[in-house]
Amino acid sequence: MKIAQIAPLWLSLPPKTFGGTELVVYNLSEELVKRGHQVTVFASGDSKVSAKLISVWSRHLIKEKINGKVIPWNNAHFPLLNIYEAFSRADEFDIIHVHENSSILSGFFIDLIKTPVVTTLHDPFIKQENKDKWATFNKFKKHNYVSISNTHQKSARLKLNFVGNVYNGIDLEKYKFQEKIKKDYLVWLGRIYPNKGVAEAIKIAKKTNKKIILAGNIAKNSPASYNYFEQKIKPQFKKGKVEYVGEVNLSQKNKLLKNAFAFLNPIQWEEPFGMVMIEAMACGTPVIAFKRGAVSEIIKHDKTGFIVKNEKEIAGAVKKIDKIKRQDCRKHVEENFSTEKMVMEYEKIYKKLIKKKKL
Amino acid sequence: MKIAQIAPLWLSLPPKTFGGTELVVYNLSEELVKRGHQVTVFASGDSKVSAKLISVWSRHLIKEKINGKVIPWNNAHFPLLNIYEAFSRADEFDIIHVHENSSILSGFFIDLIKTPVVTTLHDPFIKQENKDKWATFNKFKKHNYVSISNTHQKSARLKLNFVGNVYNGIDLEKYKFQEKIKKDYLVWLGRIYPNKGVAEAIKIAKKTNKKIILAGNIAKNSPASYNYFEQKIKPQFKKGKVEYVGEVNLSQKNKLLKNAFAFLNPIQWEEPFGMVMIEAMACGTPVIAFKRGAVSEIIKHDKTGFIVKNEKEIAGAVKKIDKIKRQDCRKHVEENFSTEKMVMEYEKIYKKLIKKKKL
């Protein structure tokens, strides 16, 4: 198949330290190439992919500046340039796969071209109060959508035309499994943001008298992220107890995750997936998380970690973490969240949509 | 001809108090209907036009809120919904006329449809530092553009495909000419903004010992506008000397303009046109303005006002304002800036583009 993948431009492919959606698009594209498809990736010019790369901008946008200012998340021109580049070449592809957040700017182009298009929604669904985006989704609800968890799909408040649900997958070769752990610490890793539960993770570590290591990026173009870090997180740092190691690359991430005895994920929102949980389990590290968003679909309770309802229950979960076999965590990811699994699911969807078009 | 007009959604048509672009689109559409064309206007649902009205949103956006907040100028979804509505019906029209600021979001759709499209640019040209918008213009420089003054066209830093220059026009029946003035005051009217020269107009009034009346809107979704008003303008109010009457509707505007002995326009930027200058002259009021932007194309120096270089020259101009025949001001607008003139120019452009397409 001739497949176009439209990635966000915020980070290069593969992302160096963090990046949920960009990592998924990278894994997907690499595996599709491996399987013999002709893949074209529309991504930032500093990306390194096995597919053919087409770039409307040479650098990824997260550190790019306009008039000395970081680019705001709602910037429309860059994503539109990227989307347009792919859609104006629509005839070259059997299928166009767009990866969108809640802006679905690609929606405006889908009915103007003939090539079938599938849109994976990587963000939680917007609320009706977001009038402009709501009206956009409402206008384009018949397009082909894919959710990243069943919880995510069910949470859509508009009757969108879902053609499937595909869990994000990771390249298991890049995550080192470790049976016996050397160090005795809890770990939290992610984008520093109030709804990610960083402050709650610290609280739990203190309560259970364990050391916690935090890692992840502070989004400079998000005051909510920056202020949260400065006001709520930084003041709690204490050597040997609460440590922050900044952003981590893949090798650092492996080291950090595989040596932890549990990954804490006390999320404060309905996260549609949660890449970091599968990364932790791939290293053999069990996950303790609040029962919100897609957590119940990702963690097998009592088998690969614990799904809990409140902070009180977490303390108990930390104590019985030894019951979890680290091998089970790895196996669970291998069976359910591998790139191969993800790609097979997407291939099925592509075929279905191409066939439907030809009828 | 079957003509689509795509207006901004910020104000309803006709705008009640202010609104450059919306007023131009309104005047243009009304006159095209009068001339027997089948006109469809894409504008806010609270617009009142003689043409067929299609609206993606029931209310105009300037007072609309999302999550309790005013809508930022860079909001893309609302204009995209409006543009999309017209472009997805492209087959119904002989020509689509888009009215754009510097975002040219319509550019992304033009090559995907067959109907010819012409884009009037109502804003000054962006600089290369505005990377995303610059890249967009660069991508779409072959589209059909119309400038609103020759100065405006010449200021384009990219070789855009200009198919013409058309001055904005006003409906002269709506502006009452007054030969003899009753009151002895200077007037400034416009959007309260630093580059519009409000503070400079006050300074000139003080220097020449004249009363000045200010009118116009403060943009609540622009901190630059609001802070400028609060810090630089408001503290200077003085009954009988410097008065501010807020936003004015057409009847109030007429009264205010026709009774003034001069309109001051000490602009601090390269304004591409300047609707308020033709409105003032239509009422018989001469204009004193700085030689910037399109001023030299709008005012006939020594005949309908004075074009000056600095504040010192303005004082002299105020003193010799009696030399200007108010009748000449009116006549100048009748001959050059009427809706009829504007519409004839656009009709020529429409015909040329439709013919070109058919060859």
Side-chain angles (χ1 to χ4, degrees):
Chain A
M1 282 184 264
K2 288 174 281 180
I3 305 166
Q5 293 289 341
I6 309 182
L9 297 176
W10 293 108
L11 299 166
S12 56
L13 267 55
K16 282 181 184 61
T17 53
F18 62 101
T21 305
E22 287 86 351
L23 184 58
V24 173
V25 182
Y26 177 75
N27 290 342
L28 173 58
S29 304
E30 291 300 304
E31 184 65 22
L32 285 168
V33 169
K34 218 182 269 178
R35 286 168 177 256
H37 297 293
Q38 286 179 52
V39 184
T40 306
V41 175
F42 295 84
S44 72
D46 48 3
S47 295
K48 276 169 193 157
V49 294
S50 308
K52 179 179 172 185
L53 176 68
I54 295 181
S55 304
V56 294
W57 204 248
S58 58
R59 294 172 299 277
H60 62 282
L61 301 183
I62 201 104
K63 288 187 177 168
E64 181 69 277
K65 288 187 177 181
I66 296 182
N67 287 327
K69 287 178 189 162
V70 291
I71 299 171
W73 289 119
N74 67 347
N75 175 285
H77 283 81
F78 279 125
L80 282 170
L81 282 164
N82 192 34
I83 289 163
Y84 179 81
E85 195 63 39
F87 277 76
S88 62
R89 298 159 182 256
D91 294 347
E92 299 173 24
F93 309 112
D94 297 317
I95 184 117
I96 297 176
H97 188 173
V98 202
H99 299 268
E100 282 275 21
N101 54 27
S102 61
S103 70
I104 59 158
L105 291 169
S106 59
F108 292 100
F109 300 89
I110 291 174
D111 296 330
L112 301 175
I113 60 144
K114 283 173 190 165
T115 306
V117 179
V118 59
T119 305
T120 297
L121 299 169
H122 290 268
D123 268 10
F125 289 101
I126 44 109
K127 292 175 188 165
Q128 198 158 0
E129 295 90 274
N130 295 93
K131 296 172 186 175
D132 56 337
K133 292 183 179 178
W134 180 269
T136 308
F137 265 111
N138 196 36
K139 176 122 200 126
F140 300 127
K141 57 189 171 192
K142 288 184 180 169
H143 290 169
N144 305 308
Y145 295 103
V146 170
S147 57
I148 57 174
S149 69
N150 294 315
T151 316
H152 182 219
Q153 187 169 132
K154 273 179 211 145
S155 73
R157 291 164 188 85
L158 273 163
K159 282 197 177 174
L160 302 180
N161 175 40
F162 282 105
V163 295
N165 175 69
V166 183
Y167 291 131
N168 291 333
I170 55 169
D171 180 352
L172 276 139
E173 281 183 21
K174 291 186 179 155
Y175 295 85
K176 306 298 168 212
F177 171 67
Q178 187 144 319
E179 180 71 54
K180 303 231 164 182
I181 58 163
K182 294 174 198 163
K183 290 171 188 169
D184 189 30
Y185 63 86
L186 296 163
V187 65
W188 180 94
L189 169 65
R191 189 163 50 92
I192 309 276
Y193 204 80
N195 66 11
K196 293 274 190 176
V198 201
E200 286 75 10
I202 296 171
K203 203 172 160 191
I204 292 156
K206 285 182 177 174
K207 217 172 187 170
T208 56
N209 203 26
K210 300 278 181 197
K211 176 182 176 181
I212 187 163
I213 301 180
L214 313 164
N217 75 305
I218 304 145
K220 282 184 187 154
N221 44 1
S222 162
S225 171
Y226 185 79
N227 295 338
Y228 178 62
F229 177 76
E230 288 293 322
Q231 291 160 18
K232 307 275 180 184
I233 308 305
K234 211 173 164 183
Q236 303 205 60
F237 293 167
K238 196 181 169 188
K239 205 167 157 60
K241 283 290 175 189
V242 181
E243 292 181 5
Y244 171 64
V245 295
E247 286 181 36
V248 287
N249 62 25
L250 188 66
S251 133
Q252 294 163 326
K253 191 193 276 184
N254 262 288
K255 208 178 148 193
L256 184 66
L257 289 175
K258 72 179 184 183
N259 286 309
F261 76 83
F263 183 89
L264 291 188
N265 198 26
I267 46 167
Q268 307 291 309
W269 66 312
E270 307 309 318
E271 190 162 24
F273 191 74
M275 282 288 270
V276 72
M277 293 190 283
I278 61 172
E279 290 179 301
M281 290 187 290
C283 296
T285 303
V287 180
I288 302 170
F290 279 152
K291 190 183 169 63
R292 293 192 70 169
V295 160
S296 305
E297 293 178 67
I298 295 175
I299 303 169
K300 268 175 118 170
H301 184 66
D302 251 355
K303 185 90 176 165
T304 73
F306 298 101
I307 303 169
V308 296
K309 280 176 196 156
N310 49 48
E311 283 174 23
K312 205 178 161 188
E313 284 186 22
I314 290 197
V318 172
K319 279 173 202 161
K320 59 181 181 178
I321 207 78
D322 285 338
K323 287 189 181 171
I324 304 293
K325 289 180 193 147
R326 294 179 68 94
Q327 187 64 52
D328 285 345
C329 297
R330 173 77 182 186
K331 204 177 156 204
H332 179 55
V333 178
E334 284 172 348
E335 284 171 0
N336 299 285
F337 306 111
S338 69
T339 298
E340 291 80 0
K341 179 98 193 289
M342 170 176 74
V343 172
M344 281 188 332
E345 299 287 337
Y346 275 124
E347 268 184 341
K348 268 189 243 168
I349 291 168
Y350 299 163
K351 280 178 195 162
K352 194 169 78 177
L353 294 177
I354 294 168
K355 200 176 163 191
K356 198 177 153 197
K357 185 219 165 188
K358 281 181 182 159
L359 288 177
Chain B
M1 282 182 263
K2 286 174 283 178
I3 306 165
Q5 294 289 341
I6 308 182
L9 297 177
W10 292 107
L11 298 166
S12 56
L13 267 57
K16 282 180 185 61
T17 53
F18 63 100
T21 305
E22 287 86 350
L23 184 58
V24 172
V25 183
Y26 176 75
N27 290 342
L28 173 57
S29 304
E30 291 300 304
E31 185 66 20
L32 285 169
V33 169
K34 219 182 268 177
R35 286 167 177 256
H37 297 293
Q38 286 178 52
V39 184
T40 306
V41 175
F42 295 84
S44 72
D46 48 3
S47 295
K48 274 169 194 158
V49 294
S50 307
K52 180 181 171 184
L53 176 68
I54 296 181
S55 305
V56 295
W57 203 249
S58 59
R59 293 171 300 276
H60 62 282
L61 301 183
I62 200 104
K63 289 188 176 167
E64 181 69 275
K65 288 186 175 181
I66 295 181
N67 287 327
K69 288 178 188 161
V70 292
I71 299 171
W73 289 120
N74 67 348
N75 175 285
H77 283 81
F78 279 126
L80 282 171
L81 282 165
N82 192 33
I83 290 162
Y84 180 82
E85 194 64 37
F87 277 76
S88 62
R89 297 160 184 254
D91 295 346
E92 299 173 24
F93 309 113
D94 297 317
I95 183 115
I96 296 176
H97 188 174
V98 202
H99 299 268
E100 282 274 23
N101 54 27
S102 60
S103 69
I104 59 157
L105 291 169
S106 59
F108 292 100
F109 299 90
I110 291 174
D111 296 330
L112 301 175
I113 60 144
K114 284 172 188 166
T115 306
V117 179
V118 59
T119 304
T120 297
L121 300 169
H122 290 268
D123 268 10
F125 289 101
I126 45 108
K127 292 175 188 166
Q128 199 158 359
E129 295 90 273
N130 295 92
K131 298 172 186 174
D132 56 337
K133 292 184 179 179
W134 180 270
T136 307
F137 265 111
N138 196 36
K139 177 122 199 125
F140 301 127
K141 57 189 171 192
K142 287 183 180 170
H143 290 169
N144 305 307
Y145 295 103
V146 170
S147 57
I148 55 173
S149 69
N150 294 314
T151 316
H152 181 220
Q153 187 169 133
K154 273 178 210 147
S155 72
R157 291 165 187 85
L158 274 163
K159 282 197 177 174
L160 303 180
N161 175 41
F162 282 104
V163 294
N165 175 69
V166 183
Y167 291 131
N168 291 333
I170 55 170
D171 180 353
L172 276 139
E173 281 182 20
K174 291 186 178 154
Y175 295 85
K176 305 300 168 210
F177 170 68
Q178 187 145 320
E179 179 71 53
K180 302 231 165 184
I181 57 162
K182 295 173 196 162
K183 290 172 189 168
D184 190 31
Y185 62 87
L186 296 163
V187 65
W188 180 94
L189 168 66
R191 189 163 50 93
I192 309 277
Y193 204 80
N195 66 10
K196 292 275 189 174
V198 201
E200 287 75 9
I202 295 171
K203 203 171 161 193
I204 292 157
K206 284 181 175 172
K207 217 172 189 172
T208 56
N209 203 26
K210 300 279 180 195
K211 175 183 175 179
I212 188 163
I213 301 179
L214 313 164
N217 75 304
I218 305 143
K220 282 184 187 155
N221 44 0
S222 162
S225 171
Y226 185 79
N227 295 338
Y228 178 61
F229 177 77
E230 289 292 323
Q231 290 161 19
K232 306 277 180 182
I233 307 305
K234 211 173 163 183
Q236 304 206 59
F237 293 167
K238 196 180 168 189
K239 206 168 156 57
K241 282 291 175 189
V242 180
E243 291 181 6
Y244 171 63
V245 295
E247 285 182 36
V248 287
N249 62 24
L250 187 66
S251 133
Q252 293 163 327
K253 193 193 273 182
N254 260 288
K255 207 177 147 192
L256 184 67
L257 290 175
K258 74 180 182 181
N259 286 308
F261 77 82
F263 183 90
L264 292 188
N265 198 27
I267 47 167
Q268 307 291 308
W269 66 312
E270 307 310 319
E271 189 162 27
F273 192 74
M275 282 289 269
V276 71
M277 293 190 282
I278 60 172
E279 290 179 301
M281 290 188 290
C283 296
T285 303
V287 180
I288 302 169
F290 278 153
K291 192 181 168 66
R292 291 192 71 168
V295 160
S296 305
E297 292 178 67
I298 295 173
I299 303 169
K300 268 176 115 168
H301 183 66
D302 251 354
K303 185 88 175 167
T304 74
F306 298 101
I307 302 170
V308 296
K309 279 176 196 156
N310 49 48
E311 284 174 22
K312 205 178 161 188
E313 284 186 22
I314 290 198
V318 172
K319 278 173 202 160
K320 58 181 180 177
I321 206 79
D322 286 337
K323 286 188 182 170
I324 305 293
K325 290 178 194 150
R326 294 178 68 94
Q327 187 63 53
D328 285 346
C329 297
R330 173 79 182 186
K331 205 178 154 199
H332 180 55
V333 179
E334 284 172 349
E335 285 171 359
N336 299 286
F337 306 110
S338 68
T339 298
E340 291 81 0
K341 180 97 194 287
M342 170 176 74
V343 173
M344 282 188 330
E345 298 287 337
Y346 275 124
E347 269 183 340
K348 269 188 243 169
I349 291 168
Y350 298 163
K351 280 178 194 163
K352 194 170 79 180
L353 294 176
I354 294 168
K355 200 176 164 190
K356 197 178 155 197
K357 185 221 166 188
K358 283 183 181 158
L359 287 177

